[in-house]
Amino acid sequence: MPIDPPVLDSPRGSKMPVISLFSGAGGLDLAVERVADTPLQSPVVPSNGPFRVAVATDYSAQALDTLSLNLPGTATWPGDIRDTPTSELLRVGSMSAGDAALVVGGPPCTPFSKSGFWLAEKRESRDPNASLLEEYVRVVAQARPEAFVLENVQALTYKTHQKHFQQLLAALADLGYNPQWKTLLAADYGVPQLRKRVFIVGRRDGQAFRFPEPTHAGPSETTRSWDTSKLFHVSAEQAFAGLKTVSESKELVEGKYGQLAAEVPAGQNYLWHTPRLGGRDEFEWRSRYWTFLLRLAPDKPSSTLQAQPGPYVGPFHWENLRNENGDLRARRLRVPELLRLMTFPDDFQLIGRRADVQRQLGNAVPLELGKAVLRALTLQLGYIDAETDSDDQLVRSTSDAVLIS
């Protein structure tokens, strides 16, 4: 059942309200509330930022339970957005049209992601969930926030989905928001993950949003040269510095490919076991997804964390452990390690089984990436003083983000 808005204390109640759509576990929501804070500040510590998430909605009640644990002052509304009137979201958030400072959210990326791309309806962009983009536009049109931030997978911009993408931009432009979009690499903003996401940002006053400049640089799948004046990408090993973890149930990679996974060196994948490299002759060259039997390289950022990986889909940790029979096996990443790779606080709480946790984090926006976009927007709207939020502070905060234990 919907949860009525809590009684807010004065400091939080004086902050500008934000509507969160497709909220999930609250990665973008946490970025909204921590936009002016130092990295990895505990989610329960009062924020210095100008915003509060007044209402968050998602189809997954479990994900909203996670959000509520970490943002207890946010009212939540579980349910299908297609059945949720904007007026109800405004009521639950104690707002009227025009009150919201922001609408934020990332419509589910399934219709546009590479996962399941072999399905005809996805290849042809016929997935019915693509209509969720229209629901986002509908809430912006009716709530009339000062600005909006929409996040999605990079594939939304591909030629295959060009029709949906152009319709989305046109609809937002018709509302007067002058939408600007850009694909950002999370690692370029201090996140130890080579995760690409497209952001679309618009302002009600029609002024063009300017995306933040990257603070970090380094090699990626498509980059072999980079700006050496910037900080180098944060590596997985740096992200895990000072982190103490305990073993988790079923963390070892067993079964059909268990031994093969253990033999893959750090930074390599199933291609190690092809005639071209040093492993066994088990697979054809480029016959599997890149993440099959993928091991983390300690000196590089992680690949994108997936929401629903198969049993042999990495990235797996670079270290091997022995199973009950004494055989070496690769191990899956532990939850505290996943949190570090997402630049979430160490004390971020998640509800559900291990698969539920993986899904919630894999679907989330890395906290420091969300903060980079939202901080730029907040500066441009005039809610943070540029003199007290210098470029040096931005560089320092994102550099230190994953080094705080």
PDB file of all heavy atoms in Angstrom, residues 22-53:
ATOM      1  N   PHE A  22      10.889   5.602 -11.312  1.00  0.00           N
ATOM      2  CA  PHE A  22      11.701   4.402 -11.577  1.00  0.00           C
ATOM      3  C   PHE A  22      12.892   4.392 -10.612  1.00  0.00           C
ATOM      4  O   PHE A  22      14.042   4.208 -11.016  1.00  0.00           O
ATOM      5  CB  PHE A  22      12.175   4.384 -13.031  1.00  0.00           C
ATOM      6  CG  PHE A  22      11.087   4.698 -14.031  1.00  0.00           C
ATOM      7  CD1 PHE A  22      11.008   5.946 -14.621  1.00  0.00           C
ATOM      8  CD2 PHE A  22      10.146   3.740 -14.361  1.00  0.00           C
ATOM      9  CE1 PHE A  22      10.010   6.246 -15.532  1.00  0.00           C
ATOM     10  CE2 PHE A  22       9.138   4.022 -15.266  1.00  0.00           C
ATOM     11  CZ  PHE A  22       9.065   5.272 -15.861  1.00  0.00           C
ATOM     12  N   SER A  23      12.603   4.581  -9.341  1.00  0.00           N
ATOM     13  CA  SER A  23      13.631   4.899  -8.351  1.00  0.00           C
ATOM     14  C   SER A  23      14.553   3.744  -8.033  1.00  0.00           C
ATOM     15  O   SER A  23      15.722   3.962  -7.682  1.00  0.00           O
ATOM     16  CB  SER A  23      12.962   5.377  -7.058  1.00  0.00           C
ATOM     17  OG  SER A  23      12.022   6.390  -7.324  1.00  0.00           O
ATOM     18  N   GLY A  24      14.067   2.494  -8.114  1.00  0.00           N
ATOM     19  CA  GLY A  24      14.886   1.361  -7.728  1.00  0.00           C
ATOM     20  C   GLY A  24      15.339   1.492  -6.293  1.00  0.00           C
ATOM     21  O   GLY A  24      14.609   1.954  -5.416  1.00  0.00           O
ATOM     22  N   ALA A  25      16.597   1.095  -6.054  1.00  0.00           N
ATOM     23  CA  ALA A  25      17.131   1.142  -4.700  1.00  0.00           C
ATOM     24  C   ALA A  25      17.526   2.547  -4.279  1.00  0.00           C
ATOM     25  O   ALA A  25      17.873   2.756  -3.115  1.00  0.00           O
ATOM     26  CB  ALA A  25      18.338   0.206  -4.586  1.00  0.00           C
ATOM     27  N   GLY A  26      17.530   3.504  -5.206  1.00  0.00           N
ATOM     28  CA  GLY A  26      17.739   4.892  -4.822  1.00  0.00           C
ATOM     29  C   GLY A  26      19.114   5.456  -5.110  1.00  0.00           C
ATOM     30  O   GLY A  26      19.538   6.390  -4.422  1.00  0.00           O
ATOM     31  N   GLY A  27      19.820   4.954  -6.124  1.00  0.00           N
ATOM     32  CA  GLY A  27      21.135   5.514  -6.437  1.00  0.00           C
ATOM     33  C   GLY A  27      21.058   6.965  -6.855  1.00  0.00           C
ATOM     34  O   GLY A  27      21.800   7.817  -6.345  1.00  0.00           O
ATOM     35  N   LEU A  28      20.159   7.282  -7.778  1.00  0.00           N
ATOM     36  CA  LEU A  28      20.012   8.667  -8.223  1.00  0.00           C
ATOM     37  C   LEU A  28      19.392   9.522  -7.124  1.00  0.00           C
ATOM     38  O   LEU A  28      19.712  10.710  -6.986  1.00  0.00           O
ATOM     39  CB  LEU A  28      19.154   8.710  -9.492  1.00  0.00           C
ATOM     40  CG  LEU A  28      19.251   9.957 -10.368  1.00  0.00           C
ATOM     41  CD1 LEU A  28      20.695  10.268 -10.735  1.00  0.00           C
ATOM     42  CD2 LEU A  28      18.425   9.786 -11.634  1.00  0.00           C
ATOM     43  N   ASP A  29      18.531   8.917  -6.322  1.00  0.00           N
ATOM     44  CA  ASP A  29      17.908   9.638  -5.208  1.00  0.00           C
ATOM     45  C   ASP A  29      18.958  10.049  -4.178  1.00  0.00           C
ATOM     46  O   ASP A  29      18.949  11.166  -3.648  1.00  0.00           O
ATOM     47  CB  ASP A  29      16.854   8.763  -4.540  1.00  0.00           C
ATOM     48  CG  ASP A  29      15.805   8.275  -5.515  1.00  0.00           C
ATOM     49  OD1 ASP A  29      16.165   7.523  -6.442  1.00  0.00           O
ATOM     50  OD2 ASP A  29      14.639   8.651  -5.368  1.00  0.00           O
ATOM     51  N   LEU A  30      19.862   9.120  -3.876  1.00  0.00           N
ATOM     52  CA  LEU A  30      20.929   9.431  -2.930  1.00  0.00           C
ATOM     53  C   LEU A  30      21.818  10.533  -3.485  1.00  0.00           C
ATOM     54  O   LEU A  30      22.276  11.417  -2.747  1.00  0.00           O
ATOM     55  CB  LEU A  30      21.750   8.167  -2.659  1.00  0.00           C
ATOM     56  CG  LEU A  30      22.587   8.133  -1.379  1.00  0.00           C
ATOM     57  CD1 LEU A  30      21.701   8.285  -0.154  1.00  0.00           C
ATOM     58  CD2 LEU A  30      23.386   6.844  -1.308  1.00  0.00           C
ATOM     59  N   ALA A  31      22.044  10.520  -4.804  1.00  0.00           N
ATOM     60  CA  ALA A  31      22.828  11.576  -5.438  1.00  0.00           C
ATOM     61  C   ALA A  31      22.129  12.923  -5.313  1.00  0.00           C
ATOM     62  O   ALA A  31      22.778  13.959  -5.119  1.00  0.00           O
ATOM     63  CB  ALA A  31      23.079  11.243  -6.904  1.00  0.00           C
ATOM     64  N   VAL A  32      20.807  12.937  -5.432  1.00  0.00           N
ATOM     65  CA  VAL A  32      20.031  14.169  -5.261  1.00  0.00           C
ATOM     66  C   VAL A  32      20.261  14.748  -3.872  1.00  0.00           C
ATOM     67  O   VAL A  32      20.537  15.941  -3.706  1.00  0.00           O
ATOM     68  CB  VAL A  32      18.528  13.897  -5.482  1.00  0.00           C
ATOM     69  CG1 VAL A  32      17.685  15.055  -4.953  1.00  0.00           C
ATOM     70  CG2 VAL A  32      18.238  13.668  -6.958  1.00  0.00           C
ATOM     71  N   GLU A  33      20.150  13.906  -2.868  1.00  0.00           N
ATOM     72  CA  GLU A  33      20.232  14.395  -1.495  1.00  0.00           C
ATOM     73  C   GLU A  33      21.670  14.679  -1.069  1.00  0.00           C
ATOM     74  O   GLU A  33      21.908  15.466  -0.165  1.00  0.00           O
ATOM     75  CB  GLU A  33      19.584  13.382  -0.554  1.00  0.00           C
ATOM     76  CG  GLU A  33      18.108  13.181  -0.822  1.00  0.00           C
ATOM     77  CD  GLU A  33      17.260  13.178   0.429  1.00  0.00           C
ATOM     78  OE1 GLU A  33      17.829  13.277   1.535  1.00  0.00           O
ATOM     79  OE2 GLU A  33      16.027  13.090   0.306  1.00  0.00           O
ATOM     80  N   ARG A  34      22.650  14.015  -1.712  1.00  0.00           N
ATOM     81  CA  ARG A  34      24.059  14.192  -1.346  1.00  0.00           C
ATOM     82  C   ARG A  34      24.804  15.057  -2.360  1.00  0.00           C
ATOM     83  O   ARG A  34      26.029  15.037  -2.409  1.00  0.00           O
ATOM     84  CB  ARG A  34      24.745  12.831  -1.238  1.00  0.00           C
ATOM     85  CG  ARG A  34      24.078  11.871  -0.277  1.00  0.00           C
ATOM     86  CD  ARG A  34      24.102  12.424   1.149  1.00  0.00           C
ATOM     87  NE  ARG A  34      22.979  11.904   1.919  1.00  0.00           N
ATOM     88  CZ  ARG A  34      22.541  12.428   3.052  1.00  0.00           C
ATOM     89  NH1 ARG A  34      23.098  13.505   3.535  1.00  0.00           N
ATOM     90  NH2 ARG A  34      21.518  11.903   3.689  1.00  0.00           N
ATOM     91  N   VAL A  35      24.104  15.814  -3.171  1.00  0.00           N
ATOM     92  CA  VAL A  35      24.730  16.533  -4.274  1.00  0.00           C
ATOM     93  C   VAL A  35      25.818  17.496  -3.807  1.00  0.00           C
ATOM     94  O   VAL A  35      26.784  17.757  -4.534  1.00  0.00           O
ATOM     95  CB  VAL A  35      23.662  17.277  -5.105  1.00  0.00           C
ATOM     96  CG1 VAL A  35      23.029  18.398  -4.311  1.00  0.00           C
ATOM     97  CG2 VAL A  35      24.231  17.788  -6.407  1.00  0.00           C
ATOM     98  N   ALA A  36      25.703  18.013  -2.595  1.00  0.00           N
ATOM     99  CA  ALA A  36      26.692  18.973  -2.089  1.00  0.00           C
ATOM    100  C   ALA A  36      27.611  18.360  -1.050  1.00  0.00           C
ATOM    101  O   ALA A  36      28.384  19.084  -0.412  1.00  0.00           O
ATOM    102  CB  ALA A  36      25.980  20.184  -1.486  1.00  0.00           C
ATOM    103  N   ASP A  37      27.558  17.047  -0.885  1.00  0.00           N
ATOM    104  CA  ASP A  37      28.314  16.392   0.177  1.00  0.00           C
ATOM    105  C   ASP A  37      29.605  15.775  -0.336  1.00  0.00           C
ATOM    106  O   ASP A  37      29.765  15.505  -1.521  1.00  0.00           O
ATOM    107  CB  ASP A  37      27.474  15.290   0.836  1.00  0.00           C
ATOM    108  CG  ASP A  37      26.284  15.845   1.597  1.00  0.00           C
ATOM    109  OD1 ASP A  37      26.209  17.072   1.747  1.00  0.00           O
ATOM    110  OD2 ASP A  37      25.432  15.055   2.014  1.00  0.00           O
ATOM    111  N   THR A  38      30.508  15.505   0.594  1.00  0.00           N
ATOM    112  CA  THR A  38      31.725  14.788   0.256  1.00  0.00           C
ATOM    113  C   THR A  38      31.374  13.344  -0.079  1.00  0.00           C
ATOM    114  O   THR A  38      30.349  12.826   0.369  1.00  0.00           O
ATOM    115  CB  THR A  38      32.708  14.808   1.435  1.00  0.00           C
ATOM    116  OG1 THR A  38      32.046  14.300   2.598  1.00  0.00           O
ATOM    117  CG2 THR A  38      33.199  16.212   1.699  1.00  0.00           C
ATOM    118  N   PRO A  39      32.195  12.678  -0.854  1.00  0.00           N
ATOM    119  CA  PRO A  39      31.882  11.303  -1.279  1.00  0.00           C
ATOM    120  C   PRO A  39      31.755  10.329  -0.112  1.00  0.00           C
ATOM    121  O   PRO A  39      32.428  10.459   0.903  1.00  0.00           O
ATOM    122  CB  PRO A  39      33.079  10.928  -2.157  1.00  0.00           C
ATOM    123  CG  PRO A  39      33.602  12.238  -2.630  1.00  0.00           C
ATOM    124  CD  PRO A  39      33.394  13.185  -1.493  1.00  0.00           C
ATOM    125  N   LEU A  40      30.875   9.369  -0.303  1.00  0.00           N
ATOM    126  CA  LEU A  40      30.667   8.264   0.626  1.00  0.00           C
ATOM    127  C   LEU A  40      30.250   8.699   2.018  1.00  0.00           C
ATOM    128  O   LEU A  40      30.473   8.006   2.991  1.00  0.00           O
ATOM    129  CB  LEU A  40      31.908   7.386   0.714  1.00  0.00           C
ATOM    130  CG  LEU A  40      32.288   6.658  -0.567  1.00  0.00           C
ATOM    131  CD1 LEU A  40      33.338   5.597  -0.282  1.00  0.00           C
ATOM    132  CD2 LEU A  40      31.099   6.017  -1.241  1.00  0.00           C
ATOM    133  N   GLN A  41      29.598   9.854   2.123  1.00  0.00           N
ATOM    134  CA  GLN A  41      29.033  10.237   3.404  1.00  0.00           C
ATOM    135  C   GLN A  41      27.869   9.307   3.712  1.00  0.00           C
ATOM    136  O   GLN A  41      27.122   8.913   2.840  1.00  0.00           O
ATOM    137  CB  GLN A  41      28.545  11.684   3.371  1.00  0.00           C
ATOM    138  CG  GLN A  41      28.093  12.202   4.741  1.00  0.00           C
ATOM    139  CD  GLN A  41      27.723  13.673   4.691  1.00  0.00           C
ATOM    140  OE1 GLN A  41      26.974  14.083   3.820  1.00  0.00           O
ATOM    141  NE2 GLN A  41      28.238  14.462   5.613  1.00  0.00           N
ATOM    142  N   SER A  42      27.732   8.934   4.976  1.00  0.00           N
ATOM    143  CA  SER A  42      26.662   8.024   5.361  1.00  0.00           C
ATOM    144  C   SER A  42      25.303   8.578   4.949  1.00  0.00           C
ATOM    145  O   SER A  42      25.037   9.768   5.106  1.00  0.00           O
ATOM    146  CB  SER A  42      26.677   7.812   6.881  1.00  0.00           C
ATOM    147  OG  SER A  42      25.511   7.135   7.298  1.00  0.00           O
ATOM    148  N   PRO A  43      24.415   7.718   4.415  1.00  0.00           N
ATOM    149  CA  PRO A  43      23.110   8.208   3.966  1.00  0.00           C
ATOM    150  C   PRO A  43      22.226   8.733   5.090  1.00  0.00           C
ATOM    151  O   PRO A  43      21.249   9.401   4.831  1.00  0.00           O
ATOM    152  CB  PRO A  43      22.490   6.976   3.300  1.00  0.00           C
ATOM    153  CG  PRO A  43      23.215   5.808   3.871  1.00  0.00           C
ATOM    154  CD  PRO A  43      24.604   6.287   4.162  1.00  0.00           C
ATOM    155  N   VAL A  44      22.554   8.415   6.339  1.00  0.00           N
ATOM    156  CA  VAL A  44      21.706   8.886   7.432  1.00  0.00           C
ATOM    157  C   VAL A  44      22.238  10.177   8.056  1.00  0.00           C
ATOM    158  O   VAL A  44      21.618  10.732   8.938  1.00  0.00           O
ATOM    159  CB  VAL A  44      21.558   7.808   8.528  1.00  0.00           C
ATOM    160  CG1 VAL A  44      20.870   6.584   7.966  1.00  0.00           C
ATOM    161  CG2 VAL A  44      22.920   7.423   9.108  1.00  0.00           C
ATOM    162  N   VAL A  45      23.381  10.669   7.584  1.00  0.00           N
ATOM    163  CA  VAL A  45      23.917  11.931   8.090  1.00  0.00           C
ATOM    164  C   VAL A  45      23.227  13.087   7.374  1.00  0.00           C
ATOM    165  O   VAL A  45      23.060  13.043   6.158  1.00  0.00           O
ATOM    166  CB  VAL A  45      25.446  11.995   7.876  1.00  0.00           C
ATOM    167  CG1 VAL A  45      25.986  13.377   8.230  1.00  0.00           C
ATOM    168  CG2 VAL A  45      26.127  10.928   8.714  1.00  0.00           C
ATOM    169  N   PRO A  46      22.778  14.118   8.099  1.00  0.00           N
ATOM    170  CA  PRO A  46      22.108  15.243   7.437  1.00  0.00           C
ATOM    171  C   PRO A  46      22.958  15.824   6.314  1.00  0.00           C
ATOM    172  O   PRO A  46      24.166  15.997   6.447  1.00  0.00           O
ATOM    173  CB  PRO A  46      21.928  16.258   8.578  1.00  0.00           C
ATOM    174  CG  PRO A  46      21.910  15.420   9.821  1.00  0.00           C
ATOM    175  CD  PRO A  46      22.859  14.291   9.555  1.00  0.00           C
ATOM    176  N   SER A  47      22.319  16.141   5.204  1.00  0.00           N
ATOM    177  CA  SER A  47      23.013  16.637   4.033  1.00  0.00           C
ATOM    178  C   SER A  47      23.013  18.160   3.999  1.00  0.00           C
ATOM    179  O   SER A  47      22.106  18.806   4.505  1.00  0.00           O
ATOM    180  CB  SER A  47      22.343  16.098   2.772  1.00  0.00           C
ATOM    181  OG  SER A  47      22.784  16.762   1.634  1.00  0.00           O
ATOM    182  N   ASN A  48      24.049  18.699   3.357  1.00  0.00           N
ATOM    183  CA  ASN A  48      24.115  20.147   3.172  1.00  0.00           C
ATOM    184  C   ASN A  48      23.454  20.588   1.881  1.00  0.00           C
ATOM    185  O   ASN A  48      23.440  21.766   1.559  1.00  0.00           O
ATOM    186  CB  ASN A  48      25.590  20.591   3.157  1.00  0.00           C
ATOM    187  CG  ASN A  48      26.276  20.356   4.484  1.00  0.00           C
ATOM    188  OD1 ASN A  48      25.681  20.571   5.531  1.00  0.00           O
ATOM    189  ND2 ASN A  48      27.521  19.911   4.427  1.00  0.00           N
ATOM    190  N   GLY A  49      22.951  19.648   1.093  1.00  0.00           N
ATOM    191  CA  GLY A  49      22.401  19.965  -0.216  1.00  0.00           C
ATOM    192  C   GLY A  49      21.061  20.667  -0.148  1.00  0.00           C
ATOM    193  O   GLY A  49      20.396  20.701   0.895  1.00  0.00           O
ATOM    194  N   PRO A  50      20.629  21.247  -1.281  1.00  0.00           N
ATOM    195  CA  PRO A  50      19.391  22.022  -1.302  1.00  0.00           C
ATOM    196  C   PRO A  50      18.135  21.197  -1.546  1.00  0.00           C
ATOM    197  O   PRO A  50      17.036  21.735  -1.470  1.00  0.00           O
ATOM    198  CB  PRO A  50      19.623  22.981  -2.468  1.00  0.00           C
ATOM    199  CG  PRO A  50      20.493  22.192  -3.406  1.00  0.00           C
ATOM    200  CD  PRO A  50      21.382  21.363  -2.537  1.00  0.00           C
ATOM    201  N   PHE A  51      18.286  19.889  -1.850  1.00  0.00           N
ATOM    202  CA  PHE A  51      17.132  19.090  -2.272  1.00  0.00           C
ATOM    203  C   PHE A  51      16.790  17.978  -1.281  1.00  0.00           C
ATOM    204  O   PHE A  51      17.633  17.520  -0.514  1.00  0.00           O
ATOM    205  CB  PHE A  51      17.408  18.428  -3.632  1.00  0.00           C
ATOM    206  CG  PHE A  51      17.807  19.373  -4.719  1.00  0.00           C
ATOM    207  CD1 PHE A  51      19.018  19.210  -5.386  1.00  0.00           C
ATOM    208  CD2 PHE A  51      16.993  20.430  -5.099  1.00  0.00           C
ATOM    209  CE1 PHE A  51      19.400  20.067  -6.398  1.00  0.00           C
ATOM    210  CE2 PHE A  51      17.364  21.303  -6.099  1.00  0.00           C
ATOM    211  CZ  PHE A  51      18.574  21.117  -6.759  1.00  0.00           C
ATOM    212  N   ARG A  52      15.542  17.570  -1.351  1.00  0.00           N
ATOM    213  CA  ARG A  52      15.084  16.357  -0.668  1.00  0.00           C
ATOM    214  C   ARG A  52      14.186  15.596  -1.634  1.00  0.00           C
ATOM    215  O   ARG A  52      13.422  16.205  -2.389  1.00  0.00           O
ATOM    216  CB  ARG A  52      14.300  16.689   0.605  1.00  0.00           C
ATOM    217  CG  ARG A  52      13.045  17.519   0.360  1.00  0.00           C
ATOM    218  CD  ARG A  52      12.304  17.824   1.656  1.00  0.00           C
ATOM    219  NE  ARG A  52      11.154  18.703   1.409  1.00  0.00           N
ATOM    220  CZ  ARG A  52       9.939  18.268   1.058  1.00  0.00           C
ATOM    221  NH1 ARG A  52       9.708  16.963   0.916  1.00  0.00           N
ATOM    222  NH2 ARG A  52       8.958  19.132   0.851  1.00  0.00           N
ATOM    223  N   VAL A  53      14.299  14.294  -1.647  1.00  0.00           N
ATOM    224  CA  VAL A  53      13.407  13.487  -2.470  1.00  0.00           C
ATOM    225  C   VAL A  53      12.085  13.376  -1.720  1.00  0.00           C
ATOM    226  O   VAL A  53      11.991  12.697  -0.693  1.00  0.00           O
ATOM    227  CB  VAL A  53      14.001  12.099  -2.757  1.00  0.00           C
ATOM    228  CG1 VAL A  53      13.038  11.284  -3.623  1.00  0.00           C
ATOM    229  CG2 VAL A  53      15.347  12.228  -3.460  1.00  0.00           C
TER     230      VAL A  53
END
